[in-house]
Amino acid sequence: MLDVLTAKTGRAKTGRVAATIKDVARAAGVSVATVTRALSTPELVRLDTRERVRATAAALGYHPNRAARGLITGRTGNLGLLVPDLSNPFFPGIVKGVQGRAHEADHAVFLADTDEDPAAEAGLVRKLAKQVDGVVLCSPRMPEAELRALAGEIPIALVYRRVPGTPSVTAAFLDGMRQAVSHLVALGHRRIAYVGGPRTSWANRERVRSLRAVSKTSGVELVEMGSVIPQFEGGVAAADQVIVAGVTAVIAYNDLVALGLLHRCAARGVRVPADLSVLGFDDIPLGAMVHPALTTVALPQGAAGRAAVDLLLNERQDRKERLELPTQLIVRGSTGPAEGS
Amino acid sequence: MLDVLTAKTGRAKTGRVAATIKDVARAAGVSVATVTRALSTPELVRLDTRERVRATAAALGYHPNRAARGLITGRTGNLGLLVPDLSNPFFPGIVKGVQGRAHEADHAVFLADTDEDPAAEAGLVRKLAKQVDGVVLCSPRMPEAELRALAGEIPIALVYRRVPGTPSVTAAFLDGMRQAVSHLVALGHRRIAYVGGPRTSWANRERVRSLRAVSKTSGVELVEMGSVIPQFEGGVAAADQVIVAGVTAVIAYNDLVALGLLHRCAARGVRVPADLSVLGFDDIPLGAMVHPALTTVALPQGAAGRAAVDLLLNERQDRKERLELPTQLIVRGSTGPAEGS
DNA sequence: TTGAAAGCGGTACCAG
DNA sequence: CTGGTACCGCTTTCAA
């Protein structure tokens, strides 16, 4: 077999040339057409031929070149995935979901991290466009108009963002918020702070909207503390204002911010949950590792990623598919009875 | 221009077909050969032709199809990246480094997460092989023989693993361990436990080796506690044995394990660092967020990723390049004076 | 300086 | 059931 390979390319170096379909055809004594069929449409090839071809293919370590195949079929077998920041433990969960589902469907995935830079998003997607069958955009920060333009150029599935006419996977924020507030109300809290995330974040807008609605119907007083970066440091920075806001509980944009609040409270000697209850969003693994462990509204991560891939791959006629996955409050140590209740 | 496109493909639907080099050639009134040249070897084309071609290309929104190009040039402009587990916050740091450097070099990156399954590694790499110019293997768990075989099939760069003859990026474990032990010795510790990681992990073997060497020369007594999974749960599980091991300090395979130790100690009422000092490896962001904050040996993450890409891309003749990046002890709250010292 | 044509590795159609 | 062949989009000789 080595002879075949080296003869073919003229390289005498090593056996390091990948076998092509021609090599297999020659070695198996059939035409290239038969090789393709034996591999992709076995029922069109007589059993013994098929077996022979497959055996030689295996022996030569042959794997069809996906790029070449894509050239003619128009399908690449690749997916793109865009995330704002891989450092936020929320996203690896989604990435793993996308990867898992993509691999099951025999697709490889390109990953791009935008470093929370909305301006970089569209460019990255366009660069990948030619090499993928579609791209999953995770919490994209770009303006809706730009998103629409992109959706016209390449199949897109949104995760944690909703845009009319574009397939998307989100979670039941309103219901999650209801669970969160009910929990706090049951513990006797009546005045609650909210530390917000990026204004360009759709998820933040949704949370604020839900929270306002729920507060009204639950009769709790809501104190909005403004926006911070969706990271630990954001929470640390917001903590001191929360402490003097006269609230007994605080809901953070996400777990990372909540962890920042927890950290600063500990440093300031504010006891959690005795003096202040803290509640996050996301349910990142980290939340269960700290002390006190973080009460949070769990958002689907792996499941969201998998669903997004399905949206992209399943040739649903209806391209405006909209999925809303359930959310679940996870009660842990960072929330407790309100002072004096 | 739309006419051209639709005429070409016969699709009357939308303008959603990507312009090909032929479209540009036709529109600019030149041959396809000239278009390629105008775009990739401008000096071979007369100025005005060049300009005309470029203008039409821009107008049509033309971008060469990288897959097709790769077919003939043999270079894809893509890189592969394999990580054992994206949930371990150590890896996103490396991924970001690889991505950053790859994008600077105008390369896109395929990411594959093996879920700590050594058996899956080789297969994933081979699947990507045809579509990439090389792959970065991050802490691969597969046996060395298999790694060697792979290296014969496709350019490879190793991160946190060393195999003779294969380019790799690692860190100065021995020096890091020396810093760690010196620190503990200075605090009065004389009997130190080590909670190990996966036996298939090269990094773990290196740490053990370094630790043994350093212990001997520092006159500390080393108590090896066996292997655990390199995660939070592993640390939690090992904690009780550490507590009864009669040591005043423990070094963990990595930060996640150290965090697990911290967690279980808190639950058991073992005070850190008063009763037990805990020291990790990696320096994941998480370590600074917990209380007490984790003392750790920082391993380069982004820098390691970037270096690996350089190794892959730079046409160094010497393909057995071996990089060893520095390590640095980060002292935080989880280590303190030994009991009674 | 430019164009024609030969592939790169596959797939799909058309005969046989 | 199998082989021949055109062609996917692009680059690269080879001539003109």
Side-chain angles (χ1 to χ4, degrees):
Chain A
M1 74 180 243
L2 245 183
D3 301 16
V4 176
L5 295 179
T6 51
K8 186 198 143 282
T9 59
R11 299 187 221 174
K13 300 182 170 193
T14 70
R16 185 161 159 172
V17 245
T20 78
I21 197 172
K22 281 186 190 169
D23 298 320
V24 179
R26 207 169 311 161
V30 296
S31 73
V32 293
T34 302
V35 177
T36 321
R37 290 191 202 104
L39 267 24
S40 19
T41 22
E43 63 278 11
L44 297 183
V45 178
R46 210 197 323 145
L47 183 64
D48 59 332
T49 324
R50 184 199 308 168
E51 288 311 329
R52 185 158 36 96
V53 172
R54 292 197 143 166
T56 26
L60 295 180
Y62 169 75
H63 289 278
N65 181 324
R66 301 179 81 131
R69 172 189 302 192
L71 217 46
I72 183 135
T73 60
R75 313 197 70 253
T76 62
N78 293 150
L79 254 41
L81 172 57
L82 211 73
V83 297
D85 180 16
L86 216 48
S87 308
N88 179 342
F90 179 63
F91 295 113
I94 297 182
V95 173
K96 294 194 87 154
V98 169
Q99 295 247 15
R101 190 69 195 81
H103 280 128
E104 288 171 14
D106 201 36
H107 280 240
V109 4
F110 277 109
L111 179 71
D113 183 307
T114 64
D115 267 316
E116 293 275 0
D117 176 8
E121 297 179 350
L124 283 170
V125 173
R126 291 209 170 82
K127 255 186 66 176
L128 289 178
K130 291 290 201 325
Q131 301 193 81
V132 300
D133 296 334
V135 10
V136 175
L137 297 186
C138 215
S139 311
R141 273 31 165 167
M142 75 180 90
E144 188 165 322
E146 214 170 332
L147 216 36
R148 278 228 172 73
L150 226 42
E153 300 170 29
I154 178 180
I156 275 183
L158 262 22
V159 176
Y160 289 119
R161 170 135 185 196
R162 199 141 41 190
V163 163
T166 308
S168 68
V169 180
T170 59
F173 286 144
L174 180 60
D175 184 57
M177 204 52 101
R178 206 186 326 260
Q179 295 179 50
V181 173
S182 303
H183 168 65
L184 292 176
V185 166
L187 289 171
H189 299 277
R190 293 294 175 267
R191 198 172 137 85
I192 299 174
Y194 176 70
V195 177
R199 295 190 200 287
T200 50
S201 157
W202 178 84
N204 184 55
R205 292 194 299 270
E206 286 300 297
R207 283 172 214 185
V208 171
R209 217 161 52 88
S210 308
L211 186 49
R212 286 185 188 150
V214 174
S215 309
K216 192 163 300 172
T217 64
S218 325
V220 312
E221 193 178 343
L222 176 63
V223 184
E224 299 187 28
M225 311 293 302
S227 288
V228 298
I229 56 170
Q231 288 158 25
F232 183 78
E233 290 72 20
V236 172
D240 299 303
Q241 297 162 60
V242 173
I243 292 169
V244 297
V247 299
T248 57
V250 54
I251 296 179
Y253 167 67
N254 70 7
D255 285 352
L256 240 28
V257 171
L259 253 17
L261 291 170
L262 245 37
H263 183 89
R264 182 67 183 156
C265 283
R268 288 280 311 270
V270 174
R271 294 163 306 157
V272 174
D275 301 332
L276 182 71
S277 283
V278 176
L279 197 151
F281 252 86
D282 284 356
D283 189 26
I284 60 179
L286 198 41
M289 305 183 187
V290 297
H291 190 83
L294 188 63
T295 293
T296 189
V297 175
L299 261 36
Q301 299 164 41
R306 302 180 68 87
V309 173
D310 280 332
L311 247 36
L312 227 38
L313 261 31
N314 289 1
E315 310 289 354
R316 316 222 193 195
Q317 308 305 354
D318 184 6
R319 293 228 23 76
K320 32 187 144 43
E321 208 77 39
R322 214 151 305 177
L323 246 61
E324 189 176 88
L325 269 24
T327 53
Q328 176 61 54
L329 175 73
I330 311 281
V331 177
R332 288 196 278 244
S334 70
T335 49
E339 240 171 3
S341 74
Chain B
M1 73 180 245
L2 244 184
D3 300 16
V4 177
L5 295 179
T6 51
K8 185 197 144 282
T9 60
R11 301 189 220 173
K13 300 181 169 191
T14 70
R16 185 160 159 174
V17 244
T20 79
I21 197 172
K22 280 186 191 169
D23 299 319
V24 179
R26 208 168 312 162
V30 296
S31 73
V32 293
T34 301
V35 177
T36 328
R37 292 194 197 102
L39 266 25
S40 17
T41 23
E43 62 277 14
L44 296 183
V45 177
R46 209 196 324 145
L47 184 64
D48 61 332
T49 325
R50 183 199 310 168
E51 289 309 330
R52 184 157 38 97
V53 172
R54 293 197 143 166
T56 24
L60 295 179
Y62 170 75
H63 288 280
N65 180 325
R66 300 177 82 131
R69 173 188 304 197
L71 215 46
I72 182 139
T73 60
R75 312 197 71 254
T76 62
N78 294 149
L79 253 40
L81 172 57
L82 211 73
V83 297
D85 180 16
L86 215 49
S87 308
N88 179 341
F90 179 63
F91 295 113
I94 297 182
V95 173
K96 293 193 88 153
V98 169
Q99 295 247 14
R101 189 70 194 82
H103 280 128
E104 288 171 14
D106 200 36
H107 279 241
V109 2
F110 277 110
L111 178 72
D113 183 308
T114 65
D115 267 316
E116 294 274 1
D117 177 8
E121 296 178 352
L124 284 170
V125 173
R126 291 209 170 83
K127 257 187 63 178
L128 289 179
K130 293 291 203 324
Q131 301 194 81
V132 300
D133 295 335
V135 11
V136 175
L137 297 187
C138 215
S139 311
R141 270 37 162 163
M142 75 180 90
E144 187 165 323
E146 214 171 331
L147 216 35
R148 278 228 172 73
L150 227 41
E153 300 170 29
I154 179 180
I156 275 183
L158 261 23
V159 176
Y160 289 119
R161 171 137 184 195
R162 199 141 41 189
V163 163
T166 308
S168 68
V169 180
T170 59
F173 286 144
L174 181 59
D175 184 57
M177 205 52 101
R178 207 186 326 260
Q179 296 179 51
V181 173
S182 303
H183 168 66
L184 293 176
V185 166
L187 289 171
H189 300 275
R190 292 296 175 265
R191 200 173 135 85
I192 299 175
Y194 176 71
V195 177
R199 295 190 200 289
T200 51
S201 157
W202 178 85
N204 183 55
R205 292 194 299 272
E206 285 301 297
R207 282 171 215 185
V208 171
R209 217 162 53 87
S210 307
L211 186 49
R212 286 185 188 150
V214 173
S215 308
K216 192 164 299 173
T217 64
S218 323
V220 311
E221 192 178 345
L222 177 62
V223 184
E224 299 185 29
M225 311 294 302
S227 287
V228 298
I229 57 170
Q231 289 159 23
F232 183 78
E233 291 72 20
V236 172
D240 299 301
Q241 297 161 60
V242 172
I243 291 170
V244 296
V247 300
T248 57
V250 54
I251 296 179
Y253 167 68
N254 70 7
D255 285 352
L256 241 28
V257 171
L259 254 17
L261 291 170
L262 246 37
H263 184 88
R264 183 67 183 156
C265 283
R268 289 279 311 270
V270 174
R271 294 162 307 157
V272 174
D275 301 331
L276 182 72
S277 283
V278 176
L279 197 151
F281 253 84
D282 285 356
D283 190 26
I284 59 179
L286 197 41
M289 304 183 189
V290 298
H291 190 83
L294 188 63
T295 293
T296 189
V297 175
L299 261 36
Q301 299 164 40
R306 302 181 67 88
V309 173
D310 281 332
L311 245 37
L312 228 39
L313 262 32
N314 290 359
E315 310 289 355
R316 317 221 193 195
Q317 308 304 354
D318 185 7
R319 293 227 22 75
K320 32 187 145 40
E321 207 77 37
R322 214 152 306 177
L323 246 61
E324 189 175 88
L325 271 23
T327 53
Q328 176 59 55
L329 175 73
I330 311 282
V331 177
R332 289 197 276 244
S334 70
T335 50
E339 241 172 0
S341 75

